[in-house]
Amino acid sequence: MHQDMALVATVAISFVLAAGFGYLADRLRLPPLVGYLVAGVLMGPFTPGLNADSNLAAQLAEIGVILLMFGVGLHFSASDLIAVRGIAIPGAIGQIILATLLGMGLCTLWGWSLGAGLVFGLCVSVASTVVLLKALEERNLVNSPNGRVAIGWLIVEDLAMVLTLVLLPIVAEVLGDGATAAHAADAGGTSIALTILLTLVKLGAFAVLAVVLGPRLVPWLLTLVARTGSRELFTLTVLAIALGIAFGSATIFGVSFALGAFFAGVIMSESHLSHRAAADSLPLQNAFSVLFFVSVGMLFNPMVLIHQPLAVIAILALITCGKSLIAAGFVLLLRYPLPMALTVAASLAQIGEFSFIVAGLGVSLGLLSQEGHDLILAGAILSITLNPLMFGVAAKLKAAITRTMPVFASQYGQPKFAALTRDLDVIREKAEEKESQQQLKKQQLVNTFPMFSEVNEHALEELLLLFRPASASPGDKVIRVGERGDAMYFIAAGAVEVRLPDKAILLEAGAFFGEMALLSGGVRTADVIAVDFCQFLKLDRRDFNIFMTRHPRLRAAVSDMARERKQMNILHDAQTDVN
């Protein structure tokens, strides 16, 4: 493959093969992501034929993870995280600890070292957020209480893995050999404590900036860009915020790209333009998330299935059964209902992106062998492939328990579930109220000024951003003769008089004035005085010219009305001269 075209070739081959095998998987009644994984295996270095650049594919896949997590943040507010903290935090931490111990126990049976067992256990303890979101989206569960809990659980797991990536190099020193290990053990306690403290300080600083500064800066920036009316500039700004915060948070605060992107989405969700940001970034999310699955397939060596089938089966059982049972047990132990336990269990019955990162770090630190790395990849690919089946098993298990233990299935955990549902409903109602208020503003704008029915939803939204509110009391002179025309006024409430030399024209709510000077580039030709308490929507000259240029039909309507007014004034002046 020509090196200069490696990026283009990798993307092209990935999309072509993923599209073909994804369609084939769908025809075989399998999830399309199975086809994406197969496409990656065929493109990888372990199979004959095509051999794409796996490093480039991995970086492109990282962009997909960033965009996907950004989209999650757009729909998952900070209030949601707070609402599910009672189950997500203890459940995720407890499940990570027990799953890691199970993994270490399995490695002990294989004769692996303590360090290898620790890395292996951590890898199998954390699920893939990408796979989880795809599964929840396909089942329309993202906005359900069970889906919210599962997503919150994964966010806590991601935070725990951030700390793990920081501490693992220190653990590698402690688990070293000979004098190095003894020296590391002596200084290990202090070093680990300082590292944990530093990591927590960094995470705290990141959280403070995300909570305090982000909701003030990001919505303001989005509004500023949206006022330009440029769709491509708005989309570019959304991507710049997502990728910029993800990269900046990883570089400065040491958190993962995915976690930084998630918080970028949470910050942007505070803006009333969040739905537009989500719509604009969705196509890129879908495209790049495909590259994630392709890159996973490229890392997989199929020969491990032949050389170590029993080990692969053991790992798969630990991921799909052991970890799921632990998660379900914690949900039930925290007194939440059975359906939630089964949803969380099925959601966590796979491993993904963080597992690859931890495994790669373990290999580089000398804790994990390449053989162990291949086994983890095998477990990841097989568990991702079987994850839809786990949701089916969970549904059948729920039906069976409902038949045999109807009281337990219908009543256990309901008080806590009802309280959680109420909290999430309040959050959702606030979000819906915010959205309905925006829609109401658009409808009121069209009702008050029928001329705006000519433009679409995006244009109305842009107008609401461009308008500057203004007010006047009876007797206030809004416009003066001879002034430079700097704005056009739409009367939302009240009435004004346009004072010509020999007559006065009354304009009421729904009318507009000041357009002639903007259209002609001249000065004001009449005084406009408020005769009632007035509320105006003011459109500045620059915004008027930009908006009207993009909407020629609206400009024509304003120009026609201005022309009619001018002709009426000329006719009135002529009649006055005759008299």
Side-chain angles (χ1 to χ4, degrees), residues 33 68 127-139 292-293 346-347 349-353 380 383-385 387-388 391:
L33 66 87
L68 191 67
S128 167
T129 309
V130 179
V131 176
L132 168 69
L133 291 174
K134 287 292 184 184
L136 294 179
E137 286 174 356
E138 289 174 1
R139 291 158 182 81
F292 165 76
F293 294 105
S347 300
Q350 36 78 18
I351 60 175
E353 56 273 12
S383 64
I384 289 172
T385 304
N387 193 237
F391 276 92

Side-chain angles (χ1 to χ4, degrees), residues 47-61:
T47 54
L50 293 171
N51 189 4
D53 192 323
S54 57
N55 291 327
L56 280 177
Q59 294 183 45
L60 292 171

